[in-house]
Amino acid sequence: MIKEKMLNALNEQINAEQYSSLLYLSMSAYFSNAGLPGFANWMYIQFQEEMTHANKFFKYVIERGGKVTLKTIEQMPVDFDGVIDVFEKTKAHEQLVTGLINNLVDVAIEERDHACQSFLKWFVDEQVEEEANVQEILDTLKLINGQGNGIFMLDREMRTRVFVDSTQTAE
Ligand code: FEO
């Protein structure tokens, strides 16, 4: 049976992943309204990915016989100051999530929960990829100054991103 401290931390993470999904959905709406369908697509897929992260935690808690406690999710930000601002905020958010995952690992070590340590490894690796992806886009955006023809080209590229549920392929 999962220990209470571990269970509480996992429930907090379900909430954090759900928050992430809605944050990116809100960013997707912002890009749609700004006439950038490719960026909107990229963020919509990000929203879907975060849902799979929340679901992965949800299923794990159930599997361990724990009680899932779904919490309130606060109002999302809706106003941003252009594409660079959105991706700066995405980067900051992913860094925050990396910190939360690291804290979860700390709790699993403290509680001597080896199963949970093993489960969390997927998320540790995922965060490396998430941060790298966002940094790459941010670097390109800064190179083209977040405007002009470069944005148009990048928007077309962002349109090609497709959703893949990586939680199902890397167990
Ligand atoms: Fe679920 Fe983007 O971290």
Side-chain angles (χ1 to χ4, degrees):
M1 186 70 181
I2 198 157
K3 289 190 186 150
E4 198 182 341
K5 189 172 177 185
M6 191 77 254
L7 177 62
N8 290 341
L10 289 166
N11 272 318
E12 287 297 334
Q13 194 62 30
I14 293 174
N15 184 261
E17 300 289 349
Q18 288 178 327
Y19 178 91
S20 302
S21 74
L22 293 180
L23 174 65
Y24 297 142
L25 187 60
S26 188
M27 288 172 169
S28 175
Y30 169 80
F31 283 136
S32 288
N33 292 340
L36 292 167
F39 281 92
N41 173 60
W42 196 94
M43 277 300 173
Y44 191 85
I45 287 165
Q46 201 64 14
F47 148 71
Q48 289 176 295
E49 273 198 5
E50 297 298 348
M51 294 272 282
T52 67
H53 295 173
N55 289 344
K56 193 172 172 77
F57 278 106
F58 173 90
K59 285 183 194 156
Y60 181 73
V61 170
I62 301 276
E63 202 179 351
R64 293 287 305 274
K67 183 177 178 181
V68 168
T69 309
L70 299 176
K71 298 166 196 286
T72 310
I73 297 174
E74 57 190 270
Q75 164 84 45
M76 293 303 125
V78 289
D79 294 315
F80 301 94
D81 191 19
V83 273
I84 292 182
D85 179 49
V86 172
F87 277 89
E88 292 279 17
K89 289 191 164 103
T90 301
K91 180 184 168 184
H93 185 71
E94 286 304 325
Q95 287 172 335
L96 178 91
V97 173
T98 300
L100 294 175
I101 298 288
N102 289 341
N103 288 342
L104 272 174
V105 175
D106 289 344
V107 175
I109 291 169
E110 213 179 283
E111 297 293 318
R112 297 179 54 79
D113 189 334
H114 299 286
C116 199
Q117 284 175 56
S118 171
F119 167 76
L120 289 168
K121 194 186 170 305
W122 186 90
F123 285 96
V124 172
D125 297 340
E126 174 71 8
Q127 281 312 118
V128 173
E129 204 184 306
E130 290 260 42
E131 283 196 37
N133 289 344
V134 174
Q135 188 61 55
E136 198 183 317
I137 295 168
L138 204 46
D139 289 344
T140 309
L141 282 170
K142 286 184 175 168
L143 215 62
I144 59 179
N145 233 343
Q147 54 195 343
N149 212 26
I151 276 288
F152 178 71
M153 300 298 283
L154 190 56
D155 190 66
R156 286 181 75 155
E157 197 183 315
M158 303 282 259
R159 203 188 279 218
T160 62
R161 186 184 187 195
V162 290
F163 174 64
V164 178
D165 185 352
S166 53
T167 65
Q168 297 299 314
T169 52
E171 297 268 352

PDB file of all heavy atoms in Angstrom, residues 13 16-17 20-21 24 46 49-51 53-54 57 93-94 97-98 101 122-123 126-127 130-131, ligand 1:
ATOM      1  N   GLN A  13       0.613  16.117  -8.083  1.00  0.00           N
ATOM      2  CA  GLN A  13       1.178  16.094  -9.439  1.00  0.00           C
ATOM      3  C   GLN A  13       0.091  15.904 -10.498  1.00  0.00           C
ATOM      4  O   GLN A  13       0.195  16.461 -11.592  1.00  0.00           O
ATOM      5  CB  GLN A  13       2.253  15.008  -9.554  1.00  0.00           C
ATOM      6  CG  GLN A  13       3.116  15.142 -10.803  1.00  0.00           C
ATOM      7  CD  GLN A  13       3.912  16.445 -10.842  1.00  0.00           C
ATOM      8  OE1 GLN A  13       4.269  16.988  -9.791  1.00  0.00           O
ATOM      9  NE2 GLN A  13       4.163  16.964 -12.039  1.00  0.00           N
ATOM     10  N   ALA A  16      -1.038  19.288 -11.015  1.00  0.00           N
ATOM     11  CA  ALA A  16      -0.039  20.097 -11.745  1.00  0.00           C
ATOM     12  C   ALA A  16      -0.050  19.766 -13.236  1.00  0.00           C
ATOM     13  O   ALA A  16       0.064  20.663 -14.086  1.00  0.00           O
ATOM     14  CB  ALA A  16       1.351  19.864 -11.154  1.00  0.00           C
ATOM     15  N   GLU A  17      -0.211  18.496 -13.575  1.00  0.00           N
ATOM     16  CA  GLU A  17      -0.237  18.099 -14.993  1.00  0.00           C
ATOM     17  C   GLU A  17      -1.523  18.585 -15.654  1.00  0.00           C
ATOM     18  O   GLU A  17      -1.516  19.001 -16.816  1.00  0.00           O
ATOM     19  CB  GLU A  17      -0.096  16.580 -15.139  1.00  0.00           C
ATOM     20  CG  GLU A  17       1.185  15.987 -14.569  1.00  0.00           C
ATOM     21  CD  GLU A  17       2.450  16.319 -15.355  1.00  0.00           C
ATOM     22  OE1 GLU A  17       2.365  16.852 -16.467  1.00  0.00           O
ATOM     23  OE2 GLU A  17       3.551  16.054 -14.819  1.00  0.00           O
ATOM     24  N   SER A  20      -1.012  22.160 -16.319  1.00  0.00           N
ATOM     25  CA  SER A  20      -0.153  22.318 -17.505  1.00  0.00           C
ATOM     26  C   SER A  20      -0.977  22.169 -18.770  1.00  0.00           C
ATOM     27  O   SER A  20      -0.829  22.954 -19.708  1.00  0.00           O
ATOM     28  CB  SER A  20       0.949  21.256 -17.528  1.00  0.00           C
ATOM     29  OG  SER A  20       1.737  21.312 -16.374  1.00  0.00           O
ATOM     30  N   SER A  21      -1.836  21.163 -18.808  1.00  0.00           N
ATOM     31  CA  SER A  21      -2.614  20.916 -20.032  1.00  0.00           C
ATOM     32  C   SER A  21      -3.483  22.127 -20.347  1.00  0.00           C
ATOM     33  O   SER A  21      -3.531  22.575 -21.492  1.00  0.00           O
ATOM     34  CB  SER A  21      -3.430  19.625 -19.912  1.00  0.00           C
ATOM     35  OG  SER A  21      -4.516  19.795 -19.060  1.00  0.00           O
ATOM     36  N   TYR A  24      -1.508  25.188 -21.646  1.00  0.00           N
ATOM     37  CA  TYR A  24      -1.141  25.094 -23.063  1.00  0.00           C
ATOM     38  C   TYR A  24      -2.367  25.208 -23.976  1.00  0.00           C
ATOM     39  O   TYR A  24      -2.259  25.719 -25.092  1.00  0.00           O
ATOM     40  CB  TYR A  24      -0.345  23.803 -23.321  1.00  0.00           C
ATOM     41  CG  TYR A  24       0.975  23.800 -22.557  1.00  0.00           C
ATOM     42  CD1 TYR A  24       1.483  22.647 -21.967  1.00  0.00           C
ATOM     43  CD2 TYR A  24       1.707  24.983 -22.417  1.00  0.00           C
ATOM     44  CE1 TYR A  24       2.676  22.672 -21.255  1.00  0.00           C
ATOM     45  CE2 TYR A  24       2.894  25.009 -21.697  1.00  0.00           C
ATOM     46  CZ  TYR A  24       3.377  23.850 -21.115  1.00  0.00           C
ATOM     47  OH  TYR A  24       4.551  23.884 -20.409  1.00  0.00           O
ATOM     48  N   GLN A  46       0.564  19.959 -27.262  1.00  0.00           N
ATOM     49  CA  GLN A  46       1.171  20.046 -25.928  1.00  0.00           C
ATOM     50  C   GLN A  46       0.097  19.806 -24.851  1.00  0.00           C
ATOM     51  O   GLN A  46       0.325  19.100 -23.873  1.00  0.00           O
ATOM     52  CB  GLN A  46       1.810  21.438 -25.775  1.00  0.00           C
ATOM     53  CG  GLN A  46       2.874  21.534 -24.711  1.00  0.00           C
ATOM     54  CD  GLN A  46       4.112  20.687 -24.983  1.00  0.00           C
ATOM     55  OE1 GLN A  46       4.317  20.200 -26.077  1.00  0.00           O
ATOM     56  NE2 GLN A  46       4.915  20.489 -23.975  1.00  0.00           N
ATOM     57  N   GLU A  49      -0.641  16.144 -24.764  1.00  0.00           N
ATOM     58  CA  GLU A  49       0.457  15.420 -24.082  1.00  0.00           C
ATOM     59  C   GLU A  49       0.332  15.528 -22.570  1.00  0.00           C
ATOM     60  O   GLU A  49       0.532  14.559 -21.841  1.00  0.00           O
ATOM     61  CB  GLU A  49       1.813  15.998 -24.508  1.00  0.00           C
ATOM     62  CG  GLU A  49       2.353  15.368 -25.761  1.00  0.00           C
ATOM     63  CD  GLU A  49       3.855  15.603 -25.928  1.00  0.00           C
ATOM     64  OE1 GLU A  49       4.495  16.169 -25.022  1.00  0.00           O
ATOM     65  OE2 GLU A  49       4.370  15.216 -26.982  1.00  0.00           O
ATOM     66  N   GLU A  50       0.033  16.747 -22.109  1.00  0.00           N
ATOM     67  CA  GLU A  50      -0.066  16.942 -20.655  1.00  0.00           C
ATOM     68  C   GLU A  50      -1.223  16.149 -20.059  1.00  0.00           C
ATOM     69  O   GLU A  50      -1.138  15.680 -18.927  1.00  0.00           O
ATOM     70  CB  GLU A  50      -0.199  18.432 -20.314  1.00  0.00           C
ATOM     71  CG  GLU A  50       0.988  19.283 -20.721  1.00  0.00           C
ATOM     72  CD  GLU A  50       2.299  18.895 -20.043  1.00  0.00           C
ATOM     73  OE1 GLU A  50       2.288  18.108 -19.082  1.00  0.00           O
ATOM     74  OE2 GLU A  50       3.347  19.398 -20.497  1.00  0.00           O
ATOM     75  N   MET A  51      -2.293  15.996 -20.840  1.00  0.00           N
ATOM     76  CA  MET A  51      -3.423  15.164 -20.385  1.00  0.00           C
ATOM     77  C   MET A  51      -2.948  13.727 -20.185  1.00  0.00           C
ATOM     78  O   MET A  51      -3.354  13.060 -19.228  1.00  0.00           O
ATOM     79  CB  MET A  51      -4.545  15.176 -21.427  1.00  0.00           C
ATOM     80  CG  MET A  51      -5.196  16.508 -21.619  1.00  0.00           C
ATOM     81  SD  MET A  51      -6.552  16.748 -20.476  1.00  0.00           S
ATOM     82  CE  MET A  51      -7.793  15.757 -21.282  1.00  0.00           C
ATOM     83  N   HIS A  53       0.026  12.847 -19.409  1.00  0.00           N
ATOM     84  CA  HIS A  53       0.866  12.818 -18.198  1.00  0.00           C
ATOM     85  C   HIS A  53      -0.028  12.707 -16.953  1.00  0.00           C
ATOM     86  O   HIS A  53       0.236  11.908 -16.053  1.00  0.00           O
ATOM     87  CB  HIS A  53       1.722  14.082 -18.089  1.00  0.00           C
ATOM     88  CG  HIS A  53       2.748  14.218 -19.179  1.00  0.00           C
ATOM     89  ND1 HIS A  53       3.527  15.334 -19.344  1.00  0.00           N
ATOM     90  CD2 HIS A  53       3.106  13.358 -20.170  1.00  0.00           C
ATOM     91  CE1 HIS A  53       4.324  15.156 -20.391  1.00  0.00           C
ATOM     92  NE2 HIS A  53       4.088  13.969 -20.908  1.00  0.00           N
ATOM     93  N   ALA A  54      -1.084  13.543 -16.920  1.00  0.00           N
ATOM     94  CA  ALA A  54      -2.015  13.503 -15.775  1.00  0.00           C
ATOM     95  C   ALA A  54      -2.627  12.106 -15.668  1.00  0.00           C
ATOM     96  O   ALA A  54      -2.713  11.535 -14.571  1.00  0.00           O
ATOM     97  CB  ALA A  54      -3.104  14.555 -15.951  1.00  0.00           C
ATOM     98  N   PHE A  57      -0.267   9.484 -14.154  1.00  0.00           N
ATOM     99  CA  PHE A  57      -0.237   9.557 -12.678  1.00  0.00           C
ATOM    100  C   PHE A  57      -1.540   8.993 -12.085  1.00  0.00           C
ATOM    101  O   PHE A  57      -1.526   8.274 -11.093  1.00  0.00           O
ATOM    102  CB  PHE A  57      -0.020  11.003 -12.210  1.00  0.00           C
ATOM    103  CG  PHE A  57       1.423  11.417 -12.231  1.00  0.00           C
ATOM    104  CD1 PHE A  57       1.905  12.278 -13.203  1.00  0.00           C
ATOM    105  CD2 PHE A  57       2.307  10.948 -11.270  1.00  0.00           C
ATOM    106  CE1 PHE A  57       3.254  12.657 -13.237  1.00  0.00           C
ATOM    107  CE2 PHE A  57       3.658  11.322 -11.285  1.00  0.00           C
ATOM    108  CZ  PHE A  57       4.119  12.175 -12.274  1.00  0.00           C
ATOM    109  N   HIS A  93       7.556  27.342 -17.072  1.00  0.00           N
ATOM    110  CA  HIS A  93       6.610  26.361 -16.526  1.00  0.00           C
ATOM    111  C   HIS A  93       7.212  24.953 -16.542  1.00  0.00           C
ATOM    112  O   HIS A  93       7.075  24.203 -15.572  1.00  0.00           O
ATOM    113  CB  HIS A  93       5.283  26.398 -17.288  1.00  0.00           C
ATOM    114  CG  HIS A  93       4.268  25.498 -16.677  1.00  0.00           C
ATOM    115  ND1 HIS A  93       3.676  25.782 -15.451  1.00  0.00           N
ATOM    116  CD2 HIS A  93       3.768  24.299 -17.064  1.00  0.00           C
ATOM    117  CE1 HIS A  93       2.865  24.794 -15.132  1.00  0.00           C
ATOM    118  NE2 HIS A  93       2.896  23.882 -16.097  1.00  0.00           N
ATOM    119  N   GLU A  94       7.873  24.614 -17.637  1.00  0.00           N
ATOM    120  CA  GLU A  94       8.484  23.274 -17.705  1.00  0.00           C
ATOM    121  C   GLU A  94       9.605  23.117 -16.666  1.00  0.00           C
ATOM    122  O   GLU A  94       9.785  22.032 -16.107  1.00  0.00           O
ATOM    123  CB  GLU A  94       8.996  22.975 -19.121  1.00  0.00           C
ATOM    124  CG  GLU A  94       7.888  22.673 -20.116  1.00  0.00           C
ATOM    125  CD  GLU A  94       6.977  21.515 -19.702  1.00  0.00           C
ATOM    126  OE1 GLU A  94       7.453  20.554 -19.085  1.00  0.00           O
ATOM    127  OE2 GLU A  94       5.766  21.589 -19.975  1.00  0.00           O
ATOM    128  N   VAL A  97       7.892  22.328 -13.507  1.00  0.00           N
ATOM    129  CA  VAL A  97       7.442  20.926 -13.488  1.00  0.00           C
ATOM    130  C   VAL A  97       8.621  19.987 -13.224  1.00  0.00           C
ATOM    131  O   VAL A  97       8.500  19.024 -12.461  1.00  0.00           O
ATOM    132  CB  VAL A  97       6.699  20.548 -14.800  1.00  0.00           C
ATOM    133  CG1 VAL A  97       6.391  19.059 -14.853  1.00  0.00           C
ATOM    134  CG2 VAL A  97       5.414  21.350 -14.930  1.00  0.00           C
ATOM    135  N   THR A  98       9.765  20.283 -13.833  1.00  0.00           N
ATOM    136  CA  THR A  98      10.960  19.464 -13.573  1.00  0.00           C
ATOM    137  C   THR A  98      11.278  19.456 -12.076  1.00  0.00           C
ATOM    138  O   THR A  98      11.573  18.400 -11.501  1.00  0.00           O
ATOM    139  CB  THR A  98      12.173  20.004 -14.371  1.00  0.00           C
ATOM    140  OG1 THR A  98      11.847  19.957 -15.762  1.00  0.00           O
ATOM    141  CG2 THR A  98      13.427  19.198 -14.111  1.00  0.00           C
ATOM    142  N   ILE A 101       8.825  17.178 -10.316  1.00  0.00           N
ATOM    143  CA  ILE A 101       9.146  15.756 -10.535  1.00  0.00           C
ATOM    144  C   ILE A 101      10.340  15.366  -9.653  1.00  0.00           C
ATOM    145  O   ILE A 101      10.333  14.306  -9.004  1.00  0.00           O
ATOM    146  CB  ILE A 101       9.461  15.478 -12.031  1.00  0.00           C
ATOM    147  CG1 ILE A 101       8.254  15.791 -12.937  1.00  0.00           C
ATOM    148  CG2 ILE A 101       9.972  14.041 -12.242  1.00  0.00           C
ATOM    149  CD1 ILE A 101       7.088  14.841 -12.859  1.00  0.00           C
ATOM    150  N   TRP A 122      10.421   7.598 -15.939  1.00  0.00           N
ATOM    151  CA  TRP A 122       9.870   8.020 -17.248  1.00  0.00           C
ATOM    152  C   TRP A 122       9.692   9.545 -17.281  1.00  0.00           C
ATOM    153  O   TRP A 122      10.015  10.209 -18.269  1.00  0.00           O
ATOM    154  CB  TRP A 122       8.526   7.310 -17.502  1.00  0.00           C
ATOM    155  CG  TRP A 122       7.987   7.586 -18.870  1.00  0.00           C
ATOM    156  CD1 TRP A 122       8.226   6.868 -20.003  1.00  0.00           C
ATOM    157  CD2 TRP A 122       7.144   8.683 -19.266  1.00  0.00           C
ATOM    158  NE1 TRP A 122       7.575   7.447 -21.074  1.00  0.00           N
ATOM    159  CE2 TRP A 122       6.908   8.554 -20.652  1.00  0.00           C
ATOM    160  CE3 TRP A 122       6.566   9.762 -18.590  1.00  0.00           C
ATOM    161  CZ2 TRP A 122       6.113   9.445 -21.374  1.00  0.00           C
ATOM    162  CZ3 TRP A 122       5.779  10.663 -19.307  1.00  0.00           C
ATOM    163  CH2 TRP A 122       5.568  10.502 -20.680  1.00  0.00           C
ATOM    164  N   PHE A 123       9.199  10.096 -16.173  1.00  0.00           N
ATOM    165  CA  PHE A 123       8.955  11.539 -16.124  1.00  0.00           C
ATOM    166  C   PHE A 123      10.253  12.341 -16.043  1.00  0.00           C
ATOM    167  O   PHE A 123      10.337  13.442 -16.582  1.00  0.00           O
ATOM    168  CB  PHE A 123       8.028  11.883 -14.946  1.00  0.00           C
ATOM    169  CG  PHE A 123       6.595  11.514 -15.222  1.00  0.00           C
ATOM    170  CD1 PHE A 123       6.074  10.309 -14.786  1.00  0.00           C
ATOM    171  CD2 PHE A 123       5.773  12.368 -15.946  1.00  0.00           C
ATOM    172  CE1 PHE A 123       4.751   9.959 -15.065  1.00  0.00           C
ATOM    173  CE2 PHE A 123       4.456  12.033 -16.231  1.00  0.00           C
ATOM    174  CZ  PHE A 123       3.950  10.822 -15.789  1.00  0.00           C
ATOM    175  N   GLU A 126      11.396  12.410 -19.525  1.00  0.00           N
ATOM    176  CA  GLU A 126      10.467  13.223 -20.318  1.00  0.00           C
ATOM    177  C   GLU A 126      10.740  14.719 -20.137  1.00  0.00           C
ATOM    178  O   GLU A 126      10.691  15.503 -21.086  1.00  0.00           O
ATOM    179  CB  GLU A 126       9.020  12.882 -19.906  1.00  0.00           C
ATOM    180  CG  GLU A 126       7.931  13.735 -20.529  1.00  0.00           C
ATOM    181  CD  GLU A 126       7.704  13.487 -22.019  1.00  0.00           C
ATOM    182  OE1 GLU A 126       8.297  12.531 -22.562  1.00  0.00           O
ATOM    183  OE2 GLU A 126       6.949  14.259 -22.631  1.00  0.00           O
ATOM    184  N   GLN A 127      11.052  15.111 -18.904  1.00  0.00           N
ATOM    185  CA  GLN A 127      11.300  16.536 -18.641  1.00  0.00           C
ATOM    186  C   GLN A 127      12.545  17.044 -19.366  1.00  0.00           C
ATOM    187  O   GLN A 127      12.588  18.198 -19.808  1.00  0.00           O
ATOM    188  CB  GLN A 127      11.404  16.798 -17.131  1.00  0.00           C
ATOM    189  CG  GLN A 127      10.057  16.868 -16.438  1.00  0.00           C
ATOM    190  CD  GLN A 127       9.052  17.758 -17.131  1.00  0.00           C
ATOM    191  OE1 GLN A 127       8.012  17.297 -17.561  1.00  0.00           O
ATOM    192  NE2 GLN A 127       9.344  19.050 -17.277  1.00  0.00           N
ATOM    193  N   GLU A 130      11.257  17.657 -22.826  1.00  0.00           N
ATOM    194  CA  GLU A 130      10.329  18.802 -22.843  1.00  0.00           C
ATOM    195  C   GLU A 130      11.105  20.120 -22.814  1.00  0.00           C
ATOM    196  O   GLU A 130      10.848  21.022 -23.605  1.00  0.00           O
ATOM    197  CB  GLU A 130       9.408  18.747 -21.611  1.00  0.00           C
ATOM    198  CG  GLU A 130       8.399  17.624 -21.631  1.00  0.00           C
ATOM    199  CD  GLU A 130       7.018  18.096 -22.057  1.00  0.00           C
ATOM    200  OE1 GLU A 130       6.936  18.898 -22.995  1.00  0.00           O
ATOM    201  OE2 GLU A 130       6.047  17.656 -21.449  1.00  0.00           O
ATOM    202  N   GLU A 131      12.059  20.210 -21.891  1.00  0.00           N
ATOM    203  CA  GLU A 131      12.818  21.456 -21.766  1.00  0.00           C
ATOM    204  C   GLU A 131      13.645  21.712 -23.025  1.00  0.00           C
ATOM    205  O   GLU A 131      13.757  22.848 -23.493  1.00  0.00           O
ATOM    206  CB  GLU A 131      13.727  21.410 -20.530  1.00  0.00           C
ATOM    207  CG  GLU A 131      12.953  21.634 -19.242  1.00  0.00           C
ATOM    208  CD  GLU A 131      13.860  21.969 -18.070  1.00  0.00           C
ATOM    209  OE1 GLU A 131      14.862  22.687 -18.254  1.00  0.00           O
ATOM    210  OE2 GLU A 131      13.560  21.495 -16.956  1.00  0.00           O
TER     211      GLU A 131
HETATM  212 FE1  FEO B   1       3.961  17.051 -17.974  1.00  0.00          FE
HETATM  213 FE2  FEO B   1       5.279  19.264 -19.724  1.00  0.00          FE
HETATM  214  O1  FEO B   1       5.336  18.206 -18.233  1.00  0.00           O
END
